[in-house]
Structures are given as structure tokens and as C-alpha cells.
Amino acid sequence: MEDLISIGTIGTDKNCRDPQSRRQYVELLINDFEREAGLMEEACERLSGCSFADIEQIVLKAKRKAIIEHCPLKREHIALSYEEYYPSIN
């Protein structure tokens, strides 16, 4: 993933303020992971203002929750992971 950022495929703004870069990064992290419909848009909105590192940690935490529960990735997983991680938004 770092290579995608360094070669410019994904924006280099560490705070990921650009909605298109944020969406590309969230899509890259979630990829083919089973998820409920509309999750990508809501996740991108919720993660607005987060750094790439924060986004990665929150999404990975949410995916672990889904794996433990043996279910698709849900909005609740993203929301709870965001609250637990509590990113500092500048």
C-alpha cells in the first residue's frame, strides 16, 4: 500500500482530506471482503479527516470484528472501531 501512495496512485496528503483518495484507500483496504450494501460510502464519510494510518487501523479493526462474528463487514463494525480507536482529527 505504501508503494501506491508513493507513486501517486493515491494522494499523499497524510490527513487524507481528498474524498477521492480516501475512497480509493478504503476500497483498497476492504477490497473483496464481504460487506453490507452501502458500507463503502458510509465508511468514507465516517473516516473523513483521518490520516491514512488512522483509516488503516480502523478498517482493519472493523474487519477483525466481522471475522470474529462470522459475518459481513457492517456499518456497526466501522462505527465501533472508530470510537475505540478515537483518531485525532486535525
Side-chain angles (χ1 to χ4, degrees):
M1 281 183 259
E2 187 174 339
D3 291 336
L4 292 174
I5 293 170
S6 65
I7 62 173
T9 303
I10 296 177
T12 56
D13 178 8
K14 72 175 187 161
N15 290 326
C16 198
R17 290 183 188 102
D18 173 42
Q20 183 178 1
S21 294
R22 183 172 48 253
R23 180 169 179 85
Q24 285 177 328
Y25 195 59
V26 170
E27 286 176 353
L28 181 65
L29 291 170
I30 294 176
N31 199 13
D32 292 332
F33 199 90
E34 188 179 358
R35 62 187 175 271
E36 58 183 17
L39 175 79
M40 198 71 71
E41 292 75 22
E42 189 166 321
C44 289
E45 183 67 31
R46 160 110 25 202
L47 300 171
S48 177
C50 291
S51 68
F52 284 109
D54 289 339
I55 291 171
E56 181 176 10
Q57 292 303 309
I58 293 165
V59 170
L60 293 177
K61 187 181 225 7
K63 287 170 74 173
R64 281 192 299 273
K65 289 178 184 305
I67 290 168
I68 290 168
E69 294 176 14
H70 302 287
C71 67
L73 187 59
K74 300 177 183 178
R75 290 171 178 83
E76 294 82 25
H77 296 134
I78 298 289
L80 186 56
S81 296
Y82 181 92
E83 291 172 16
E84 290 173 357
Y85 188 76
Y86 196 71
S88 66
I89 307 294
N90 296 329

